[in-house]
Amino acid sequence: MIPSIRSTYNHQFTHRQYEDFLSGIAAEAGEAPAFKVAETPVFIPAQLTARIQQACDEIVAVILHPDFKQQTRDAIPHELKVPHENDHPHFMVIDFAVCRDEAGDLTPKLIELQGFPSLYAFQELMARQFRTHFTIPDTLCNFFNGLNATSYFALLKEVIIGPCEPEEVVLLEVKPHEQKTRIDFYYTEHKLGIKAVCITELIQEGKKLYYELDGKRIQIKRIYNRVIFDDLHRQQELLGKHVHLFQELEVEWITHPNWFYRISKYILPFIHSEYAPKSWFLHELPVIPADLENYVLKPLFSFAGQGVLIDVTQEDLDKISDPENWILQHKVQYAPAIETPEGPAYCEIRMMYVWPDSSPSPLLVHNLARISKSKMIGVSQGKPQNWTGGSCAFFEQAL
């Protein structure tokens, strides 16, 4: 998006560089990514950097409101509530589409947000490998708040492991070694020393949880949670015998599962910002818009884009029997802002936060980007195209 840097990158790009880049990632992580990694990072100009940060600040202000928990009291499905919720999420992410405003300038538009970790370890690895194999100007940075690779992982260690020993902390997921994001689990283990454990491997004795490591049974004191609980709820009958996590357990959650629901599509109607498209709970919609084609319909509880309706009709609305569980959101028009050697592409930017218990507010630390040539970014579209996929952004400092 920074024209001079984009032009130079495209001109200098070679497929050999790209293959070496992927090999560098695989060598450090222990295996190649199971998902498509884009051939390019995203270069964010200063004006867009400033707008994204302003948008983030306005959204965080909503989350910091003293009545936030009261506002989101109905966000958590009753059957998915987990005891001992803490005061704030340890991780949260905010997703923006890159669009153009009426003046033609690049601007962010809020798509979604989650009180849940993203690929925190992998994104550092990817960004560093981009710098290793391609020419990325030193004036651009993938970190925020003065962090670098060393201080970034020190912060992750503080939040995820805390006062525990690494073997007393597990990264919990459903069938972690079958997940497309498993490279992040393996690199997290490499950097922090914590194992990825499947929910079926947990052992319960009273209120305590254990797992087997090198033939020894070790008590789990902290769970770095990567389980999406509504997804678990859908497939738990297929998992066979496993610990029921919706009970009182002597374990600390990082991040507590309830925050996945509190900070989610559920709060879109509460966010009033020029960078947030207007949204309503369907059952509170004052009047059905005449131009429904300019809206998207989103279920509150979904996974990987399932159930999102891009082209909404009156018939779609008539079919919904639980309108309280749906959001109607003004459609966002992505800009084909990334020039690639094979045509323009769209992108989303995910801003990644860490919230230590010692901090009064979440800290912006890193980012993730998705590049696509279709309007359904992040949803499986079959064989991926060139110059699309998962990526990261390098930001020009806001003026």
Side-chain angles (χ1 to χ4, degrees), residues 1 45 47-49 51-52 55 96-110 274-276 332-335 337 347 349:
M1 297 180 208
Q47 183 186 47
L48 182 56
T49 298
R51 288 182 169 189
I52 291 174
F96 296 99
V98 175
C99 308
R100 289 195 183 275
D101 62 16
E102 293 179 357
D105 295 324
L106 294 171
T107 195
K109 287 292 183 180
L110 177 65
E274 65 178 298
Y275 305 114
V332 167
Q333 298 296 332
Y334 290 74
C347 81
I349 306 296

Side-chain angles (χ1 to χ4, degrees), residues 91 93 116-121 123 184 224 226 350 352 368:
F91 293 92
V93 299
F116 192 76
S118 190
L119 308 181
Y120 279 78
Q123 287 304 116
D184 180 67
Y224 178 36
R226 301 295 289 269
R350 169 169 289 182
M352 298 162 56
L368 178 153

Side-chain angles (χ1 to χ4, degrees), residues 192-243:
L192 301 183
I194 64 173
K195 292 284 186 182
V197 172
C198 180
I199 184 175
T200 59
E201 297 174 303
L202 299 178
I203 303 162
Q204 182 176 357
E205 291 184 3
K207 294 183 180 181
K208 291 183 170 65
L209 293 180
Y210 299 82
Y211 75 114
E212 297 280 351
L213 178 63
D214 300 328
K216 296 188 299 182
R217 181 175 289 193
I218 297 177
Q219 184 182 348
I220 299 169
K221 295 184 179 178
R222 281 187 170 194
I223 291 175
Y224 178 36
N225 182 47
R226 301 295 289 269
V227 177
I228 296 176
F229 273 46
D230 53 346
D231 186 46
L232 168 64
H233 190 66
R234 280 194 292 272
Q235 58 178 314
Q236 60 184 350
E237 291 183 7
L238 304 175
L239 289 176
K241 185 178 179 182
H242 63 277
V243 169

Side-chain angles (χ1 to χ4, degrees), residues 8-223:
T8 299
Y9 185 96
N10 289 357
H11 180 72
Q12 294 180 346
F13 176 88
T14 68
H15 288 285
R16 176 60 185 269
Q17 282 177 301
Y18 179 59
E19 293 301 323
D20 289 346
F21 160 71
L22 294 178
S23 296
I25 289 175
E28 281 203 68
E31 74 166 46
F35 51 87
K36 172 69 163 50
V37 175
E39 287 83 345
T40 180
V42 178
F43 304 118
I44 306 291
Q47 183 186 47
L48 182 56
T49 298
R51 288 182 169 189
I52 291 174
Q53 290 182 321
Q54 180 185 342
C56 284
D57 290 345
E58 291 172 0
I59 293 164
V60 167
V62 173
I63 295 166
L64 290 175
H65 194 278
D67 292 337
F68 183 75
K69 277 202 172 186
Q70 178 64 18
Q71 286 181 315
T72 57
R73 64 189 181 279
D74 297 326
I76 310 162
H78 179 73
E79 69 277 11
L80 299 180
K81 286 184 178 179
V82 176
H84 303 304
E85 180 184 323
N86 62 338
D87 291 335
H88 61 78
H90 295 95
F91 293 92
M92 54 178 274
V93 299
I94 307 175
D95 292 350
F96 296 99
V98 175
C99 308
R100 289 195 183 275
D101 62 16
E102 293 179 357
D105 295 324
L106 294 171
T107 195
K109 287 292 183 180
L110 177 65
I111 297 296
E112 214 164 308
L113 64 172
Q114 291 181 339
F116 192 76
S118 190
L119 308 181
Y120 279 78
F122 177 73
Q123 287 304 116
E124 183 280 330
L125 170 58
M126 180 201 290
R128 185 160 39 78
Q129 289 294 333
F130 267 125
R131 283 201 183 276
T132 298
H133 295 282
F134 299 93
T135 302
I136 310 295
D138 291 338
T139 53
L140 307 183
C141 191
N142 50 297
F143 293 108
F144 298 90
N145 278 303
L147 294 171
N148 56 32
T150 300
S151 57
Y152 176 70
F153 278 107
L155 179 60
L156 293 184
K157 182 178 180 182
E158 173 194 341
V159 172
I160 296 171
I161 298 175
C164 302
E165 296 298 322
E167 61 267 23
E168 296 173 328
V169 183
V170 299
L171 186 159
L172 190 66
E173 175 59 291
V174 177
K175 300 181 179 179
H177 307 294
E178 298 178 19
Q179 298 291 338
K180 284 190 176 182
T181 53
R182 60 185 178 270
I183 190 170
D184 180 67
F185 307 160
Y186 301 154
Y187 195 59
T188 300
E189 178 180 348
H190 173 68
K191 297 298 290 186
L192 301 183
I194 64 173
K195 292 284 186 182
V197 172
C198 180
I199 184 175
T200 59
E201 297 174 303
L202 299 178
I203 303 162
Q204 182 176 357
E205 291 184 3
K207 294 183 180 181
K208 291 183 170 65
L209 293 180
Y210 299 82
Y211 75 114
E212 297 280 351
L213 178 63
D214 300 328
K216 296 188 299 182
R217 181 175 289 193
I218 297 177
Q219 184 182 348
I220 299 169
K221 295 184 179 178
R222 281 187 170 194
I223 291 175

Side-chain angles (χ1 to χ4, degrees), residues 81-84 204 206-207 243-249 253:
K81 286 184 178 179
V82 176
H84 303 304
Q204 182 176 357
K207 294 183 180 181
V243 169
H244 181 69
L245 294 174
F246 307 93
Q247 62 174 304
E248 293 228 3
L249 295 166
W253 293 93

